[in-house]
């Protein structure tokens, strides 16, 4: 079947680009001498995650328990649930552990540690725990100089039902970097902070076998990962316009796109109207704060070639407006009613989350596979 026969909007995945992106990060990790724990939150699909695990130990990261259930049902045992744990989810996690999964949870407070220990004792099992470290003020976590780090460590070490496995940090600040040099610097801060926290724990007689770091930008530009035991990243599998704007990839590396139909022309305004609005593209405007604002996405042909200077400049729920960056006239012959174009996403995780499946191509317009996604919670 050909892409042109699909009902739009829908999500297209270029397998060749996916494989190249995966191989490139795996090569980097091998050079740096560290394992990759791919993040399953971007793909939310087992076929893709299995490809990402090629040459790696087989452990993954998840962002929802739905992903954990799904990946476990496809044979993946070892998962870090890398979102600070909510007490209400502990029964679910305990259930997965009883079935044989090895789920490590993440926390950064005494309260969460106490909830986890109590729940584990109630279920008669042991919950492995990582302490979340804040390396760049991006979101959550304990800072290197905070005595809470050792307090949580001591509690986990002392209590029955929980084991202190180590520390985890995520340099989310890397998404706001203005240059590749800044990404290199933040990668070193990410590494240094995590390793220093592990040393603080060890100096206090506490175990810290895992030192986990990662984001797609820092995974791409870290120059040294001494002391780190694993890197987590997910967006690298697909990449997106935010990553291209950061200099982490080229626009041509982006493996997913939204296929959309032309449904109208506003020739007075130099607009092409499509059936991919924000429900199809997501409302993510991550490139708005970058040097080049890509609107809701750049426009490529059905065959997968860039249409220079065209972006989705505005969206409604089910309508997208394509225009030239400069507002100039469009080549109307290229946008016949019913013809199709592809939109490259600002943020791959957000755009892919709008779909329940990928239409996989081999680089042409022929569909070679249909792979499902596990959305929701
Ligand atoms: C805890 C954690 N680890 C790793 C990642 C992966 O980073 P990226 O999305 O840049 O691949 C994320 C992304 O949100 C995350 O929250």
């Amino acid at each position: 079947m050909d892409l042109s026969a699909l009902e739009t909007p829908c999500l297209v995945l270029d397998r060749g680009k996916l494989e190249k992106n995966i191989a490139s990060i795996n090569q980097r990790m091998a050079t740096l001498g560290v394992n990759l724990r791919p993040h399953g939150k971007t793909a939310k699909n087992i076929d893709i995650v299995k490809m990402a695990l090629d040459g790696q130990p087989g452990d993954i990261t998840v962002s929802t328990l739905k992903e954990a259930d799904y990946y476990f049902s496809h044979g993946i045992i070892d998962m870090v649930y890398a979102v600070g744990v909510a007490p209400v989810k502990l029964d679910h996690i305990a259930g997965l552990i009883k079935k044989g999964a090895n789920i490590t949870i993440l926390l950064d407070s005494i309260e969460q540690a106490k909830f986890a220990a109590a729940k584990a004792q109630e279920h008669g099992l042991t919950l492995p725990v990582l302490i979340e470290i804040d390396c760049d003020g991006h979101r959550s976590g304990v800072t290197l100089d905070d005595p809470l780090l050792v307090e949580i460590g001591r509690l986990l070490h002392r209590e029955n039902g929980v084991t202190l496995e180590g520390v985890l940090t995520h340099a989310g600040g890397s998404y706001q970097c203005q240059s590749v040099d800044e990404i290199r610097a933040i990668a070193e801060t990410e590494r240094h902070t995590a390793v220093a926290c592990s040393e603080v724990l060890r100096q206090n007689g506490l175990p810290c076998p895992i030192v986990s770091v990662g984001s797609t930008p820092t995974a791409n530009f870290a120059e040294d990962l001494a002391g780190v035991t694993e890197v987590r990243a997910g967006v690298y599998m697909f990449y997106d316009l935010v990553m291209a704007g950061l200099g982490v990839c080229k626009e041509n590396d982006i493996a997913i796109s939204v296929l959309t139909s032309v449904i109208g022309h506003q020739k007075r305004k130099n607009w092409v109207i499509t059936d991919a609005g924000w429900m199809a593209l997501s409302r993510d405007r991550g490139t708005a704060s970058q040097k080049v604002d890509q609107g809701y996405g750049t426009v490529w042909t059905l065959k997968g070639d860039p249409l220079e200077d065209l972006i989705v400049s505005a969206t409604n729920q089910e309508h997208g407006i394509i225009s030239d960056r400069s507002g100039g006239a469009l080549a109307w012959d290229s946008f016949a009613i019913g013809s199709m174009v592809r939109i490259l996403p600002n943020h791959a995780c957000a755009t892919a989350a709008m779909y329940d499946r990928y239409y996989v191509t081999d680089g042409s317009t022929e569909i070679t596979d249909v792979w499902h996604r596990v959305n929701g919670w």
Side-chain angles (χ1 to χ4, degrees):
M1 188 173 168
D2 194 82
L3 288 179
S4 57
L6 290 175
E7 197 169 301
T8 54
C10 55
L11 187 62
V12 179
L13 171 60
D14 182 316
R15 185 179 183 137
K17 292 185 183 185
L18 170 74
E19 286 173 349
K20 194 166 150 266
N21 296 342
I22 287 173
S24 155
I25 280 283
N26 282 347
Q27 180 57 49
R28 276 216 100 233
M29 294 302 113
T31 307
L32 289 163
V34 68
N35 290 331
L36 184 69
R37 182 187 275 277
H39 206 317
K41 78 187 164 80
T42 309
K44 295 191 189 251
N45 166 272
I46 187 65
D47 301 277
I48 299 169
V49 163
K50 276 191 179 155
M51 288 165 75
L53 284 172
D54 185 35
Q56 300 298 339
D59 315 331
I60 66 164
T61 317
V62 294
S63 65
T64 66
L65 293 181
K66 189 134 177 212
E67 286 166 42
D69 288 333
Y70 165 78
Y71 289 122
F72 180 61
S73 75
H74 286 88
I76 294 184
I77 305 294
D78 194 300
M79 291 177 263
V80 168
Y81 171 40
V83 175
V85 74
V88 75
K89 294 176 185 162
L90 288 165
D91 282 320
H92 189 158
I93 293 164
L96 271 162
I97 292 175
K98 281 182 188 166
K99 284 190 220 156
N102 183 17
I103 313 278
T104 301
I105 60 169
L106 183 66
L107 52 80
D108 65 357
S109 69
I110 294 285
E111 292 89 333
Q112 285 166 305
K114 285 184 177 166
F115 273 120
K119 189 54 82 177
Q121 286 164 25
E122 183 188 317
H123 284 275
L125 48 78
T126 303
L127 275 172
V129 178
L130 292 170
I131 302 177
E132 184 166 11
I133 306 300
D134 177 3
C135 65
D136 61 0
H138 171 66
R139 195 166 56 199
S140 29
V142 182
T143 53
L144 171 58
D145 56 1
D146 191 336
L148 189 57
L149 172 63
V150 174
E151 282 173 40
I152 297 173
R154 287 207 174 111
L155 188 145
L156 293 170
H157 199 47
R158 186 177 66 227
E159 288 288 323
N160 289 329
V162 276
T163 54
L164 173 58
E165 294 295 328
V167 291
L168 175 150
T169 196
H170 163 61
S174 62
Y175 306 131
Q176 268 76 51
C177 285
Q178 297 298 317
S179 68
V180 160
D181 282 344
E182 265 186 49
I183 302 176
R184 281 197 188 96
I186 208 167
E188 174 52 18
T189 304
E190 184 182 54
R191 181 202 74 82
H192 172 265
T193 312
V195 172
C197 286
S198 74
E199 282 161 3
V200 168
L201 290 172
R202 290 186 198 116
Q203 280 155 12
N204 282 276
L206 297 166
C208 191
I210 297 176
V211 181
S212 182
V213 303
S215 73
T216 287
T218 54
N220 266 282
F221 288 104
E223 290 176 316
D224 170 29
L225 288 173
V228 166
T229 63
E230 63 179 36
V231 170
R232 308 173 320 279
V235 166
Y236 74 94
M237 299 174 202
F238 297 162
Y239 286 123
D240 53 31
L241 292 170
V242 166
M243 290 298 133
L246 280 170
V248 173
C249 67
K250 300 271 182 276
E251 193 173 326
N252 194 37
D253 297 327
I254 299 173
I256 57 165
S257 55
V258 169
L259 188 67
T260 179
S261 294
V262 173
I263 59 169
H265 299 146
Q266 284 290 337
K267 292 195 175 172
R268 284 172 300 118
K269 296 176 176 168
N270 287 317
W271 289 352
V272 166
I273 315 292
T274 73
D275 65 356
W278 54 256
M279 276 293 223
L281 301 173
S282 90
R283 285 191 82 91
D284 195 289
R285 290 277 294 110
T287 56
S289 56
Q290 295 188 322
K291 281 174 210 144
V292 180
D293 182 347
Q294 307 283 23
Y296 287 83
T298 54
V299 186
W300 287 47
T301 64
L302 167 66
K303 287 189 174 160
D305 298 311
L307 286 165
E308 299 297 340
D309 291 328
L310 297 193
I311 57 169
V312 179
S313 50
T315 53
N316 299 139
Q317 185 161 342
E318 298 295 348
H319 296 77
I321 295 176
I322 292 177
S323 62
D324 188 285
R325 285 178 196 286
S326 59
L330 300 175
W332 298 105
D333 290 350
S334 311
F335 299 101
I337 301 289
S339 65
M340 293 181 183
V341 290
R342 299 198 206 183
I343 312 300
L344 269 57
N346 277 329
H347 184 177
C349 305
T351 299
M354 302 295 170
Y355 298 89
D356 65 359
R357 75 196 76 160
Y358 300 95
Y359 290 100
V360 185
T361 68
D362 58 2
S364 73
T365 56
E366 193 192 330
I367 300 161
T368 54
D369 269 302
V370 178
W371 291 345
H372 287 271
R373 287 176 46 89
V374 60
N375 291 321
W377 291 267

